Amino acid sequence: MYQTIYHRASTVDEAISLFGKSSEAKFLAGGQTLLPVMKQRLASPSDLIDLGKIKELQGVELSGDVLTIKAGTTYFDIMQSADVKKAIPAIAYLTSVLGDPAVRYRGTIGGSIANNDPAADYPAALLALGATVKTNKRSIAAENFFQGLFTTALEDGEIITAVSFPVPAKAGYEKMRHPASRFALTGVFVAQTKSGEVRVAATGASQSGVMRVPAIEAALKANWSPAAIDSVSISASNLLADIHGTAEYRANLIKVMAQRAVTAAG
Amino acid sequence: MGVEGIGARVVRKEDKRFITGKGRYVDDIKLQGMTHAHFIRSPHAHAKVKGIDSSAALKMPGVVAVLTGQQIVDDKVGNLICGWAITSKDGSPMKMGAWPAMAPETVRFVGQAVAVVIAESKNLARDAAEAVVVNYEELPAVADVQAAIKSGAPQLHPEAPGNQVYDWVIGDEGATDAAFAKAANVVKLDVTNNRLAPNAMEPRAAIADYDSAEEHFTLYTTSQNPHVARLVLSAFYNIAPEHKLRVIAPDVGGGFGSKIFIYPEEMVALWASKKVGRPVKWTGDRTEAFLTDAHGRDHVTHAEMAFDANNKITGLKVKTYANFGAYMSLFSSSVPTYLYATLLSGQYNIPAIHAEVVGVYTNTTPVDAYRGAGRPEASYLIERLMETAARQLKVDPAALRRTNFITQFPHQTPVIMAYDTGDFNASLDAAMKAIDYAGFAGRKAKAKADGKLRGIGVSCYIEACGIAPSKAVGSLGAGVGLWESAEVRVNPVGTIEILTGSHSHGQGHETTFCQLVAERLGVPISQVSIVHGDTDKVQFGMGTYGSRSAAVGLTAILKAMEKMESKAKKIAAHALEASEGDIVIENGEFKVAGTDKAIAFPMVALAAYTAHNLPDGMEPGLKESAFYDPTNFTFPAGTYICELEVDSGTGKTSFVNFVAADDFGRLINPMIVEGQVHGGLAQGIGQALLEHAIYDANGQPVTASFMDYAMPRADDLPSFNLSHTTTLCPGNPLGIKGCGEAGAIGASAAVINAITDAIGKNNLEMPATPDRVWRTIHAA
């Protein structure tokens, strides 16, 4: 009833071919969400296609002003990467406060963004940095990739191969950790591009998942400083509310985390 | 004390097997022909069970049986009992609804079992359980204690009108009213003590094995008190007579009270093993633990304290509503009464106290003893009241406590307890010195200049543990005696087995109990082993809870040791041709005092068993047993002081320092004591900042996994600064008070007093989550 056939793909093409042969297959990346959900019997894929051993999905590359992280790279490898620390230290920091050590050894950036949990950390980085999601079929701007809670632009059988980030002039991330799950109760990523554009994204806050925060972007565009955010008003409507944080609290956290992220960005 | 005697920091003997994965827990045990149980649990907080259709499930692979609540009732397995009778103020006995092991007609909390699938594997049982169709008719539910007592609230049990189990009082109402009438100042406080889920690391598990030829059951179970389990299963649940029921509690991974109780799953496993003729195993998962392990705390209280013009307390009035959940668990009735209201005097001289406690049914998981059991609720209430009073009366909180400390012992409180000894000034002094209390104002000012809100909070706790004199608890309604038994078996080669009715599930008895033997005989602890947790090996015992194992269990061992030593001295005296009164025991030898004549302990043991040359009329062998019934509770007490900072932008609390000065009487192994205090403080701080078992208005649990229920982790906690002041307990020969619960009892008030000091607002409920603190800071 809950049997699953496990496949270990060696290449992206093989993974796609295996996917096409199954009725209800799922790709398995780090398994940090899918496996617990399967254990709870809330998901029962006929086939699990493990992407973890595909060499072309591993590694980090820095080429000029573009940092590319392959989709199967684990959080641990990302936070250890000299290229990441050099090009966008805010990503190394974000990764270091993501989950706990056990999660960081197994979880992957591709798995995180494909799942698009509304409290995950990476979607904020992708959206604020204006990253591009590369799949076996196409390139998708982060703006278009994230489409609400647990929803992305990915089509059935499409595999994320890499995420490329334009190296910004400045970037910073701060989050309030969810006291139980250690996801972001609210996290804010701020970035100033080399062309002077300011982009701010918040995760864990909105009922529709990761979102840009235009009011803070405008304030920081005028004056890149924590104090510039003091007068910004964030509405609590359409924000998440649960036992760990009211909508008003999350609205406050968007401001406070943004201010601290600006301080961290320098 | 010797390198392994009393007071030595001996490394735990049991840790080698635990940290190398060699522990043997219930789930590690596999029996020939064993089947596996999976329970079908109610998704509704309150519903009628209209029918159970297991026909499809019975056809599925590997299914042995599907058994229902109606069948267990038909087979006359007894309903679950509550072992402590409480009488309401009108003289009526407490009003209890029936609790069958599986619900035949009505479910009253989410997670209550209605049926069980027995199959060849756990997964096959789980698969088949999904094919069992249970037809429920939902009923209105109530989860909140105050909603449950309103007229028109959904009613749980016909036996308990208005959902009221009892309305119990203690103390002198007239004297208390008179004190308030004359008071110079009255301080009032409303307090909620948040419901907690115990979360032992090892979930509950049971394996039942019925031998039809012998009509004998063996139960392996995660229990803190296997003999009590056998007694209850035999005397009340009609499983089998005691000599036909062996209960084994092997290595058990934490209890915190939650494994005192005999749960439906053990009863069903025993009953089912006879029905299917094969061993039945059940191992709970974490969600089942959240849904079915007895929860802790959950009080709503209004309290008032009267002061005279000199800031001396003259009276205390308390009214508490205690949420019992859907059924009365084994010792639940005693927790908010005799384990709570009897401690309401705290460390203070309070001439008049009156407390009323209303016990209430709700559609939630049953509530019972959890680390501290009633005493954390009392201590939190009193220490929040003292802090509130200091703020209202504009006096230093430490000074107000000092003004009111009990300093003469013994001290009879107005609420039953007679404190035997203590030095509350000593522990307050030690804690204040450790945290540099005098320098706090300067540190607070400096923090303020840096934009930080810094606070300090004091908590002076007292508890009653080492329960307890059997006669006393019997007169208060307890269904059992609370003594302990021990047996000392010396083998012919001089190694020693100590059989104890205490049960170790993390406390380190295998080390500390050996230290007593090392202290008395001077033999290495490697020659001593501790036997516990098996009703076929140990004759009887009351188990481990209420910080009682050292004060009561170890004293029983001491009594048995004394008997054994007395006989051994006679044998030694005979062998050495000396007078028995001249024999002393030193470094593993029996010596004639003042001479070089000696006989090694193993030679005495050998002489006892060869019996070639014993004193005339002496029986061979060297084995003695004892029962010990304490003469009073013990009263560990101390002061905890917490210094912390609150981030006004996020409401998040960061610890600066946390000091504990405890008086536990004599310490057997200070390292193990420190570990106990660390764990207790973690749970107390967890209650203050993080933990809360929440139900929605319909009785659906919101926190049934670690994704939602915030357990404290190492990085949520400060590095603790511990110290001890000592007054020896006069009630037992070793002077021991007990240390297992203190941290959980005293810590939460220190934390909340510190946060409310930092933010300058006194009203703040637990858990003080960042959201709640932020909203309190910014509330108009």
Side-chain angles (χ1 to χ4, degrees), chain A residues 179-227:
Chain A
S181 73
R182 301 291 170 101
F183 272 84
L185 195 61
T186 287
V188 177
F189 202 104
V190 300
Q192 191 183 80
T193 67
K194 289 198 168 165
S195 62
E197 188 191 0
V198 172
R199 295 170 63 100
V200 175
T203 187
S206 168
Q207 291 174 13
S208 356
V210 66
M211 65 171 183
R212 297 271 294 270
V213 191
I216 293 178
E217 289 176 349
L220 290 176
K221 174 84 181 164
N223 174 13
W224 179 267
S225 77

Side-chain angles (χ1 to χ4, degrees), chain B residues 187-189 303 305 316 381-389:
Chain B
V187 174
K188 301 178 182 182
L189 190 66
M305 197 178 251
L316 173 68
L381 177 66
I382 294 306
E383 290 308 293
R384 285 291 293 128
L385 264 173
M386 291 303 282
E387 201 72 25
T388 305

Side-chain angles (χ1 to χ4, degrees), chain B residues 42 44-52 103-108 114 134-140 155-156 158:
Chain B
S42 170
H44 305 297
H46 199 189
K48 288 276 178 207
V49 180
K50 306 296 280 186
I52 298 176
E105 287 173 0
T106 308
V107 287
R108 296 182 176 89
V114 296
V134 184
N135 181 14
Y136 294 100
E137 178 190 318
E138 276 192 76
L139 298 170
Q155 299 291 298
L156 272 82

Side-chain angles (χ1 to χ4, degrees), chain B residues 66 331 336 432 732 760 766:
Chain B
V66 179
F331 290 113
M432 288 172 72
N732 61 67
M766 299 189 291

Side-chain angles (χ1 to χ4, degrees), chain B residues 217-283:
Chain B
F217 291 89
T218 302
L219 174 67
Y220 301 85
T221 182
T222 49
S223 175
Q224 298 178 215
N225 32 231
H227 290 87
V228 176
R230 185 182 63 166
L231 171 68
V232 172
L233 288 163
S234 178
F236 298 100
Y237 300 161
N238 310 325
I239 299 294
E242 283 178 292
H243 69 300
K244 294 291 187 184
L245 174 57
R246 178 183 186 186
V247 178
I248 301 170
D251 284 334
V252 174
F256 312 112
S258 71
K259 292 171 182 169
I260 296 172
F261 325 117
I262 294 86
Y263 287 90
E265 289 83 2
E266 291 104 270
M267 299 164 64
V268 171
L270 285 161
W271 168 72
S273 75
K274 184 174 179 181
K275 272 204 122 53
V276 304
R278 292 170 61 182
V280 173
K281 179 186 215 172
W282 170 75
T283 302

